[in-house]
Amino acid sequence: MTPTTGKVTLLSAGPGDLDLLTIRAANALARADVLLLDDLANEEIATLAPNARVIRVGKRGGCKSTPQAFIQRLMRRYASKGLHVVRVKGGEALLFGRAGEEITDLRAAGIEVEIVNGISSGFAAAAGLGLSLTHREHCQGVTFVTAHLQDHSEPDWAALAATRTTLAIYMGMGRIEHVCARLGETLAASTPAAVVQWAGTSRERRLLSRLDRVAADAAAAGFGSPAVILIGDAIGEAEGFAQAAREWVYSTHERAA
Amino acid sequence: MTPTTGKVTLLSAGPGDLDLLTIRAANALARADVLLLDDLANEEIATLAPNARVIRVGKRGGCKSTPQAFIQRLMRRYASKGLHVVRVKGGEALLFGRAGEEITDLRAAGIEVEIVNGISSGFAAAAGLGLSLTHREHCQGVTFVTAHLQDHSEPDWAALAATRTTLAIYMGMGRIEHVCARLGETLAASTPAAVVQWAGTSRERRLLSRLDRVAADAAAAGFGSPAVILIGDAIGEAEGFAQAAREWVYSTHERAA
């Protein structure tokens, strides 16, 4: 029997809660022969792929991990055998997370690549905060940016701030103080800011603050990775923001007294 | 009998294909009493809400439409009666589309608001083109921006271009020539560009080009709204881009001969 043609599905697992998967993603999982599971994706997703061999290929920044080249080799190997490989990626596959390199590599090997979109944690964070990322009274758009660059340089924070778009900063918790200080050279100290850790999961935690104190507030409250940092006037529309701001003023007065 | 407490779900319908809805969205639709249907959302979504009274509240830029204030009044009225109102919005509710105003209005009226995320057309466009919006060899992020501002002014295109993020421009087809000319003051004329019309639907159409000719190419090929315009070096990773670029060079030589 001739083996059927294999393919790789780059599947966006969304932020965590399984019901934030798309129906298309659930269908692809049900048909998967091999599941490559990122450690930013919810492990329970494997229950949706009952026929698949599950291989964990977590790859956290700085931690012991499966090298990217090995993950790519695994995908090529199984797809070449005629299997349907589903590469599960946390959030939206096309926003950070090295899908670009994987697509290039698979295309070069002549392997069919299918992409299934999903919900990125920045959108889940906004839903949790009860706000639009692009409230038309405050901004004209939103910029998703990673603080963790390939060559260990950093984004041009002044240029990003100058756009006056809402900023959704990924992988920024390790340098939140520095990032906010740089943004503060362009944006007002009082610019609304928020941190949402584990957005779109049962563990979601939210912090409302402002640019000049969000790093200290996040540290004091024990916020760490994975989290999205949101900065911009639109963040001031978060549910409870006005109340939180009144409390800062109060506590500031208290300290001054 | 005391009426149960009503609420409004702002539901992201995604770009069009029903299987791009999240499972959470499908569940909310199944429980809906009243469905308010945007005309950018796929009409067939109503089939997923068998118990709901369906009200069409389309509101296309420039066309005859249901005023925003009336839509907000409808939501408040039905939710106040204890009904579960599902306000269906095309794409991702928290990216453009006036969710910000609706949330503010409902919150002021003391009505519970639930937000269900979805797939925005910019991500569906990238999936169709087979590329990551943030390919790490090309950029550090992506900016979603609307060319259609509330006060009829325009975004600061120079500032946006200076970020070197991929630009995903919504509602820009009516002024694509102007937008590309402004971006061309900062970005190279050869910067890869694409237009995807009806992204994530069975009617999806894609055009690959470059900044200095995408407006003319889109006009020649009859591309119109709704479409996403994508600009940036990451777009050069689209499937078939190298081939398309060879053809431009060829046709340029031909014209010169």
Side-chain angles (χ1 to χ4, degrees):
Chain A
M1 212 175 89
T2 319
T4 53
T5 312
K7 70 170 175 178
V8 173
T9 299
L10 297 181
L11 186 141
S12 308
D17 285 351
L18 289 186
D19 67 350
L20 284 178
L21 282 167
T22 64
I23 296 166
R24 185 176 296 179
N27 291 340
L29 287 162
R31 290 190 305 264
D33 297 313
V34 179
L35 207 63
L36 297 185
L37 205 55
D38 197 296
D39 63 4
L40 282 176
N42 182 345
E43 284 231 339
E44 291 171 24
I45 202 170
T47 61
L48 300 176
N51 307 314
R53 173 172 172 189
V54 178
I55 304 173
R56 287 183 171 72
V57 293
K59 186 167 57 66
R60 280 277 169 76
C63 298
K64 198 174 165 183
S65 64
T66 314
Q68 182 68 24
F70 181 67
I71 296 174
Q72 291 174 195
R73 203 156 59 234
L74 279 179
M75 291 195 281
R76 289 196 307 268
R77 185 203 296 165
Y78 287 110
S80 300
K81 286 182 182 170
L83 298 173
H84 181 195
V85 179
V86 173
R87 164 82 163 116
V88 177
K89 298 175 95 70
E92 159 63 60
L94 304 183
L95 190 60
F96 312 123
R98 305 179 73 167
E101 289 147 275
E102 296 179 7
I103 295 166
T104 303
D105 181 71
L106 293 164
R107 214 178 267 159
I111 293 167
E112 185 190 342
V113 184
E114 177 191 47
I115 298 164
V116 178
N117 293 122
I119 309 299
S120 187
S121 57
F123 291 103
L129 293 166
L131 58 84
S132 166
L133 289 168
T134 59
H135 195 299
R136 68 208 299 252
E137 284 168 22
H138 300 294
C139 62
Q140 56 209 215
V142 56
T143 300
F144 293 83
V145 65
T146 173
H148 186 82
L149 297 188
Q150 182 174 16
D151 57 1
H152 304 290
S153 68
E154 62 178 323
D156 184 343
W157 297 112
L160 291 164
T163 63
R164 304 288 161 177
T165 57
T166 302
L167 300 178
I169 302 166
Y170 285 50
M171 289 160 274
M173 291 307 284
R175 58 192 80 178
I176 183 171
E177 193 174 344
H178 170 75
V179 168
C180 292
R182 293 299 315 278
L183 290 171
E185 293 165 12
T186 305
L187 299 176
S190 62
T191 304
V195 177
V196 184
Q197 185 174 15
W198 297 110
T201 77
S202 55
R203 289 194 276 177
E204 180 171 306
R205 295 180 70 201
R206 299 183 285 263
L207 173 80
L208 297 174
S209 187
R210 40 182 269 175
L211 183 58
D212 61 347
R213 49 185 293 167
V214 65
D217 287 352
F223 276 69
S225 298
V228 181
I229 306 165
L230 294 167
I231 294 166
D233 289 333
I235 309 306
E237 299 285 342
E239 186 158 23
F241 193 87
Q243 175 63 30
R246 274 193 295 275
E247 285 166 13
W248 304 328
V249 172
Y250 178 70
S251 65
T252 306
H253 285 174
E254 206 172 37
R255 275 202 300 275
Chain B
M1 212 174 87
T2 319
T4 54
T5 312
K7 70 170 174 177
V8 173
T9 299
L10 297 181
L11 187 140
S12 308
D17 286 350
L18 289 186
D19 65 352
L20 284 178
L21 281 167
T22 63
I23 295 166
R24 185 175 296 178
N27 290 341
L29 288 162
R31 291 190 304 264
D33 297 314
V34 178
L35 207 62
L36 298 186
L37 206 55
D38 196 296
D39 62 5
L40 280 176
N42 182 345
E43 284 231 339
E44 291 171 24
I45 203 169
T47 61
L48 299 176
N51 307 315
R53 172 171 173 190
V54 178
I55 304 173
R56 287 182 172 71
V57 292
K59 186 167 58 64
R60 281 276 168 78
C63 298
K64 197 173 167 183
S65 63
T66 314
Q68 183 68 24
F70 181 68
I71 295 173
Q72 291 174 193
R73 203 155 61 234
L74 278 178
M75 290 194 283
R76 289 196 308 268
R77 184 202 300 164
Y78 287 110
S80 302
K81 286 183 182 170
L83 299 174
H84 181 195
V85 180
V86 174
R87 164 82 163 113
V88 177
K89 298 177 93 72
E92 159 63 59
L94 304 182
L95 189 61
F96 311 123
R98 305 180 73 167
E101 289 148 274
E102 295 178 7
I103 294 166
T104 303
D105 181 71
L106 293 164
R107 214 179 266 157
I111 293 166
E112 184 190 344
V113 184
E114 176 191 47
I115 298 165
V116 178
N117 294 122
I119 309 299
S120 186
S121 57
F123 291 102
L129 293 166
L131 57 83
S132 166
L133 289 168
T134 59
H135 194 300
R136 68 208 299 251
E137 285 167 21
H138 300 295
C139 62
Q140 55 208 214
V142 57
T143 301
F144 293 82
V145 66
T146 173
H148 187 81
L149 299 188
Q150 183 173 15
D151 58 0
H152 303 290
S153 67
E154 61 178 326
D156 183 342
W157 297 111
L160 291 164
T163 63
R164 304 287 161 178
T165 57
T166 303
L167 300 178
I169 303 165
Y170 285 49
M171 289 160 274
M173 290 307 283
R175 58 192 81 175
I176 183 171
E177 192 173 346
H178 170 76
V179 168
C180 292
R182 293 299 315 278
L183 290 172
E185 292 164 13
T186 304
L187 299 175
S190 61
T191 304
V195 176
V196 183
Q197 185 174 16
W198 298 110
T201 76
S202 56
R203 289 194 276 177
E204 181 172 304
R205 294 179 70 199
R206 300 184 284 262
L207 174 80
L208 297 174
S209 187
R210 40 183 270 176
L211 183 56
D212 60 347
R213 50 185 294 167
V214 65
D217 287 353
F223 277 69
S225 297
V228 181
I229 306 165
L230 294 166
I231 292 166
D233 289 334
I235 308 309
E237 299 285 342
E239 186 158 23
F241 193 87
Q243 175 64 30
R246 274 194 296 276
E247 285 166 12
W248 304 329
V249 173
Y250 179 71
S251 65
T252 306
H253 286 172
E254 206 173 38
R255 276 202 298 276

